[in-house]
Amino acid sequence: MLSQNAKNSGIEQFKSALRRHAMKATPQRLAVHEAMLRLGHASADTVTEEIRKSASTNVTVASVYNILTNLAGLGIYKRRMSANNKMYFDVNTFKHIHLYDSENHTFKDIIDEELMLLIESHLGHKKFRGFKIDDIDIQIIGHPSKSKKTL
Amino acid sequence: MLSQNAKNSGIEQFKSALRRHAMKATPQRLAVHEAMLRLGHASADTVTEEIRKSASTNVTVASVYNILTNLAGLGIYKRRMSANNKMYFDVNTFKHIHLYDSENHTFKDIIDEELMLLIESHLGHKKFRGFKIDDIDIQIIGHPSKSKKTL
DNA sequence: GTGATTGCAAATTTTTTGCAAGATA
DNA sequence: TATCTTGCAAAAAATTTGCAATCAC
């Protein structure tokens, strides 16, 4: 329920963001955003796959790249890099930490406001001369622990 | 002086690390490591360039990739991700934070033991079920502030 | 209608791989 | 000498770009 509303409002918000930037609400852009809302984090090819699987809209990877890059430029997504050397995009703009699974190359969000505040307040009074801070990226890197031995 | 010693001992340490792993001390590997000690963080092509510029050893990018990847596998280097979508390697194995300059795509080390401890102790008593933490990566992303105007 | 946007294919860029030739222990 | 490594060139993988056709406004 909540999630459904959240998604709808997500799309509405998205449309008005597009309008605000004088960008057309093309089916491709909407499909990309819908996929991103479902996926959370994804690479261009994953998004393309997801769209082909679930939507009637057809898209090409090239367009998905362009769309994701443009939207990241507007701050609607965040570009992320993973250790498997692919570009990932992140739909969540709120502050959070990432848990990166280096085996499966997936990201999981960790919301830990306390920690973010801790770090920000620690860094807050530090100056990096000649450097304007845009973002702080915290990634916890690990792998699934095979606690089952035989699996 | 100190830096020279540090570099020499770096090379000696490196050689014994190679020996320990039954890897041969080829001129290419030594050249890569020397370049990495100078560069700190670098991508394969930067390392190749640096070697060609400064050393008599000649190398191919393919070999540099292989060497960097192998050494990262041994934990001698650390693989890093940058927003310009290239693989970077990091020669410093001690815990530190990175300042990533998104304009010039360069990294700078920040040593802030206090912050690392803060984060580790905060995360220390958190459990991520089924997940084994290998590393915590903190990146401060920003760009040079054109302080010319108003400062 | 008209300018923005997409699809397609080709070009770039980055990384990986196979195998013969060469170097190291 | 036996094996590990490198060089080279070609293959893969990932991303970007040009341009005509198409679509949203």
Side-chain angles (χ1 to χ4, degrees):
Chain A
M1 192 85 110
L2 182 79
S3 108
Q4 191 51 46
N5 285 337
K7 274 182 191 183
N8 286 340
S9 83
I11 286 295
E12 284 317 312
Q13 277 179 231
F14 179 66
K15 283 187 183 172
S16 55
L18 289 179
R19 249 190 310 276
R20 194 162 45 249
H21 291 281
M23 292 170 75
K24 293 176 180 172
T26 65
Q28 289 82 353
R29 280 181 181 150
L30 296 177
V32 163
H33 194 63
E34 276 162 18
M36 284 299 285
L37 288 177
R38 266 195 306 277
L39 296 169
H41 315 86
S43 58
D45 57 342
T46 311
V47 172
T48 309
E49 218 178 87
E50 173 73 14
I51 293 173
R52 290 197 172 139
K53 190 185 305 177
S54 63
S56 47
T57 322
N58 82 310
V59 282
T60 53
V61 224
S63 298
V64 172
Y65 269 109
N66 290 333
I67 292 171
L68 290 171
T69 305
N70 290 340
L71 294 177
L74 301 183
I76 292 173
Y77 299 150
K78 229 164 99 178
R79 252 182 144 161
R80 304 189 53 65
M81 298 306 306
S82 82
N84 72 147
N85 204 49
K86 285 180 71 169
M87 215 186 299
Y88 276 73
F89 293 84
D90 188 337
V91 81
N92 300 303
T93 50
F94 57 85
K95 293 264 167 89
H96 60 284
I97 292 175
H98 288 96
L99 210 58
Y100 177 68
D101 178 341
S102 61
E103 211 164 275
N104 301 304
H105 304 294
T106 53
F107 288 103
K108 224 179 111 182
D109 290 340
I110 304 283
I111 299 170
D112 188 333
E113 201 149 343
E114 204 190 322
L115 180 59
M116 293 307 289
L117 286 172
L118 207 64
I119 293 167
E120 280 173 6
S121 78
H122 178 93
L123 290 174
H125 45 75
K126 297 229 169 188
K127 289 270 172 64
F128 298 104
R129 205 178 309 172
F131 202 78
K132 168 81 176 42
I133 298 179
D134 296 318
D135 200 11
I136 296 172
D137 185 72
I138 298 172
Q139 220 164 285
I140 299 169
I141 300 164
H143 59 271
S145 49
K146 318 272 164 36
S147 43
K148 298 228 170 165
K149 237 208 152 167
T150 35
L151 198 77
Chain B
M1 195 77 114
L2 181 80
S3 106
Q4 191 52 44
N5 285 336
K7 274 183 188 182
N8 287 339
S9 83
I11 285 296
E12 285 314 313
Q13 278 179 229
F14 180 65
K15 284 187 183 171
S16 54
L18 290 178
R19 250 192 306 277
R20 193 161 48 249
H21 291 281
M23 290 170 77
K24 292 176 178 168
T26 66
Q28 287 83 354
R29 281 181 180 147
L30 297 176
V32 164
H33 195 61
E34 274 162 19
M36 285 298 287
L37 288 177
R38 265 194 307 275
L39 297 169
H41 316 85
S43 58
D45 57 342
T46 312
V47 172
T48 309
E49 217 177 86
E50 172 71 15
I51 292 173
R52 291 199 171 135
K53 190 185 306 174
S54 63
S56 47
T57 320
N58 82 310
V59 280
T60 53
V61 223
S63 298
V64 172
Y65 269 110
N66 290 333
I67 291 171
L68 291 171
T69 304
N70 291 338
L71 294 177
L74 302 182
I76 293 173
Y77 299 150
K78 231 164 97 177
R79 255 182 139 152
R80 303 191 55 66
M81 30 219 148
S82 85
N84 74 144
N85 202 50
K86 287 179 70 169
M87 216 186 301
Y88 276 74
F89 292 84
D90 187 339
V91 81
N92 299 305
T93 50
F94 58 85
K95 294 266 168 89
H96 59 285
I97 293 176
H98 288 96
L99 211 60
Y100 177 69
D101 177 341
S102 60
E103 210 165 275
N104 301 305
H105 305 294
T106 53
F107 288 103
K108 222 179 114 183
D109 290 340
I110 304 284
I111 297 170
D112 187 335
E113 200 148 344
E114 202 188 328
L115 179 58
M116 294 307 288
L117 286 171
L118 208 67
I119 292 167
E120 279 173 6
S121 78
H122 180 92
L123 290 173
H125 45 75
K126 299 227 169 188
K127 288 270 171 65
F128 298 105
R129 206 178 309 172
F131 202 78
K132 169 79 179 43
I133 298 179
D134 296 318
D135 201 11
I136 296 171
D137 185 81
I138 300 173
Q139 216 165 286
I140 299 169
I141 301 162
H143 59 271
S145 50
K146 316 276 163 31
S147 46
K148 310 203 160 184
K149 271 195 105 169
T150 35
L151 193 71

